Amino acid sequence: MSRQRTAALVGNPNAGKSALFNALTGARQKIANYPGVTVERKAGRLILPSGEPVELIDLPGSYSFDAASPDEEVTRKVVHGEFEGEALPEVLVLVLDAANLEQHLVFAQEVIALDRPTVVALNMVDLAERDGLTLDPAALSQALGVPVIPTVAVRRRGLDELAAAIARAGDRGADEGGAGEAARARQDMTLPERRLAARHMARAAVRSETARRRLHAGLDKVLLHPWLGVPILFALLFVMFQAVFAWATPFADGLEAGVAAVSEWVVAAFPGGFLRDLVTEGVLAGVGSVVVFLPQIVILFAFILVMEASGYMARAAYIMDRLMARVGLSGKSFIPLLSSFACAIPGIMATRSIADPQDRLTTILVAPLMTCSARLPVYALIIAAVIPNTTVGPGVGLQGLVLFALYVAGIFGAMAAALLLRRTVAQGAASGFIMEMPRYQMPRLRDLAIGLWQRAWVFLRRAGTIIFVATIALWVLLTFPKADPGESQVEASFAGTIATGVHAVVEPIGFNREMALALVPAMAAREVAVSSLATTYAVASEDEEQTAMALEEEVAARWSLPTALAFLAWFVFAPQCLSTIAVARRETNGWKWPMFMVGYLFALAYVFAGATYWIAVAAGL
Ligand SMILES: Nc1nc2c(ncn2[C@@H]2O[C@H](COP(=O)(O)OP(=O)(O)OP(=O)(O)O)[C@@H](O)[C@H]2O)c(=O)[nH]1
Ligand SMILES: [Mg+2]
């Protein structure tokens, strides 16, 4: 009786080895679309066309035989016949991903250099074709010196041909070896030489490639580059924040002038009294002060929507994955965190796609640190008031730079918090990244317009509902009880009493009374911080018998720079939104984690606002 025939599947991670193994042997090995799924050898039985059985071994994916990880070590040992209780496999089945041929051909050459009976399964040709790439198996076979069989493991395409090729390679057997000349040529090659050869072979194996595929592959080379990718992403975000200030200003000025004109008309047309004050101080000064930030919101979302629609956002997630892995999160958390730039509520809901409970909890707890669009009016107001509108380089405005820094501070805060949480209350290992890159696309103008309209509408609806109600409530608290003649209305009011209480807590971190008062209604929605400042100053200026100034000018005149910076630092961290807390409660099924979240975020806000204030004071700002 002849001895048991054996073959082993080798190749890069995620080439489809286990998928082929399952298709060839009827086994049910776990397959998934990310590298490192198989971590042990696994044997199954493949029946050749002749009816003869072959023991087929599925191996962990590998980038090189020199590699150090324990799963790759298994592959190296089995392939070299050093694995305990395992004979040297007769035939090596080298699995390559046709859509990533150049990458996969690097390790492939190491396998070919062994000069053993080898068959190449050129897998995933369906994906290559979908991208507009047709390969020439004959050319590749010629270059590698071994048979090349195109396959689609998941559709069982090319399996019979592959089995037949395995049989032929086994029959020729050890006496003829593998690739011969082609193998010997590769034995002394260095890694850079292999990379270069891989590029040449991959190019030579292309039968046809659409212009679009070439363009997209070129774009990916740059945008997903291990070193270039991150600076490009940050440069894009940088431009976005510059634009938020540079482009919005004329529109915002126009809106502001409009609100002022309406206010003047109301003052002229109606007799003075309770109702007129409500309209001018509460509605127009308060709510109007928020509405003027509509252009900024629209520009911010225009950038985000274009990045999403073009296919870049998924690439950003891919780039960020490695960074996120360092803090114990995966690229899976990127999408929820990204949505949190709009608002933490959909962001927290999007964590439902994260399978690992600790991973998910961490993402929920740090989501409020991503800068939601409700902070934009607060940031934009304070920056416009206290940061000079100068440039610090060609085309680089200081105001945009500060805004960018605030967003980055939020991101770093979230990453640092995730790192700590993963080490303490939400321990666990980071899981792998699962995401298919969507195709690049020209964003469609119509979709863009609809998306922007929806965002603008959400913002205006907030202004008309929650912000309106909170501001009116504050105005009422500021207006009653009425002050005696000569006494300050703000001081005498209910709101003044509240302000005194809150101010005692936040005075050490440099906040003034109006800021302290603004923090309370801002729990309803962060933008209310802006409207309540506007309303407070409107009421105050009335009893100081001044003409009301624009809010920005009031802030510029009344706040010191350290105070203003401390307020910005506070808003980077503070959990200033009740709806977010409510959603966190729902998604974690209890009060424990939302309370923890509120606690640590307030603590962070207090510490960082205080540090900012005292450092700024010490620096003489
Ligand atoms: N479209 C398509 N998908 C495939 C093909 N072969 C495998 N896949 C998919 O590719 C992914 C990776 O397949 P696996 O079989 O797990 O890859 P592997 O080489 O075993 O990966 P490791 O175990 O990590 O080394 C899975 O999502 C498969 O469903 C193919 O020919 N065409
Ligand atoms: Mg596998």
Side-chain angles (χ1 to χ4, degrees), residues 135-257:
L135 293 170
D136 181 358
L140 192 60
S141 169
Q142 176 111 43
L144 291 173
V146 299
V148 174
I149 315 294
T151 60
V152 180
V154 289
R155 308 237 182 299
R156 308 188 61 85
R157 257 168 62 190
L159 296 186
D160 295 342
E161 293 85 338
L162 185 62
I166 294 172
R168 278 197 301 277
D171 289 341
R172 279 206 318 265
D175 38 284
E176 273 181 59
E181 188 56 39
R184 281 184 291 282
R186 295 202 152 75
Q187 269 154 7
D188 301 315
M189 276 166 84
T190 61
L191 184 59
E193 286 169 343
R194 286 212 176 98
R195 287 222 177 97
L196 193 67
R199 175 168 306 173
H200 287 315
M201 279 191 286
R203 286 215 185 124
V206 174
R207 191 179 282 154
S208 70
E209 190 175 21
T210 55
R212 178 182 294 174
R213 145 111 192 158
R214 261 199 301 277
L215 173 69
H216 293 176
L219 270 178
D220 268 348
K221 274 231 168 70
V222 178
L223 297 178
L224 297 180
H225 191 276
W227 298 317
L228 286 177
V230 175
I232 290 176
L233 172 59
F234 275 79
L236 265 172
L237 294 180
F238 181 81
V239 169
M240 171 165 107
F241 293 119
Q242 288 290 323
V244 163
F245 269 98
W247 301 354
T249 309
F251 300 102
D253 288 351
L255 275 174
E256 209 165 311

Side-chain angles (χ1 to χ4, degrees), residues 249-261 288 290-296:
T249 309
F251 300 102
D253 288 351
L255 275 174
E256 209 165 311
V259 173
V290 173
V291 171
V292 298
F293 291 103
L294 180 65
Q296 258 117 335

Side-chain angles (χ1 to χ4, degrees), residues 30 55 103 107 125 223 227 243 298 305 331 366 375 447 462 467 482 485 514 551 595 619:
K30 178 179 164 105
E55 189 189 48
Q103 246 179 18
F107 177 56
V125 285
L223 297 178
W227 298 317
V298 168
L305 289 172
V366 304
R375 286 170 171 104
D447 296 346
R462 276 168 71 84
I467 296 170
K482 279 287 177 201
E514 302 88 82
L551 177 58
M595 285 300 116

Side-chain angles (χ1 to χ4, degrees), residues 13 158 337 390 398 489 524:
L337 292 181
T390 53
L398 183 61
Q489 174 58 38

Side-chain angles (χ1 to χ4, degrees), residues 11-22 29-39 58-62 71 95 104 122-127 130 151-157 436:
N12 284 35
N14 213 30
K17 296 177 296 300
S18 302
L20 266 180
F21 178 80
N22 290 350
Q29 268 283 74
K30 178 179 164 105
I31 62 170
N33 188 18
Y34 54 92
V37 178
T38 310
V39 293
D58 183 25
L59 289 172
S62 196
D71 56 344
V95 187
H104 283 226
L122 185 59
N123 196 35
M124 307 211 189
V125 285
D126 57 329
L127 293 184
R130 186 200 70 182
T151 60
V152 180
V154 289
R155 308 237 182 299
R156 308 188 61 85
R157 257 168 62 190
E436 204 174 315

Side-chain angles (χ1 to χ4, degrees), residues 404-425:
F404 178 64
L406 288 169
Y407 273 76
V408 171
I411 296 172
F412 276 102
M415 296 296 120
L419 189 66
L420 274 177
L421 292 169
R422 288 299 261 171
R423 298 269 159 89
T424 52
V425 296

Side-chain angles (χ1 to χ4, degrees), residues 486-577:
E487 200 187 0
S488 148
Q489 174 58 38
V490 175
E491 296 289 323
S493 67
F494 291 120
T497 314
I498 299 170
T500 307
V502 181
H503 190 216
V505 181
V506 292
E507 198 175 9
I509 59 172
F511 286 15
N512 58 35
R513 284 175 55 93
E514 302 88 82
M515 288 156 79
L517 183 58
L519 293 183
V520 180
M523 288 301 291
R526 287 182 175 86
E527 300 97 321
V528 177
V530 171
S531 61
S532 57
L533 285 171
T535 295
T536 308
Y537 287 132
V539 172
S541 72
E542 186 189 33
D543 66 40
E544 287 166 17
E545 310 222 340
Q546 297 172 335
T547 43
M549 288 192 280
L551 177 58
E552 191 187 309
E553 292 158 27
E554 294 274 7
V555 170
R558 292 169 187 252
W559 294 17
S560 74
L561 187 55
T563 288
L565 294 178
F567 201 57
L568 289 177
W570 172 272
F571 271 89
V572 171
F573 297 102
Q576 202 78 24
C577 171

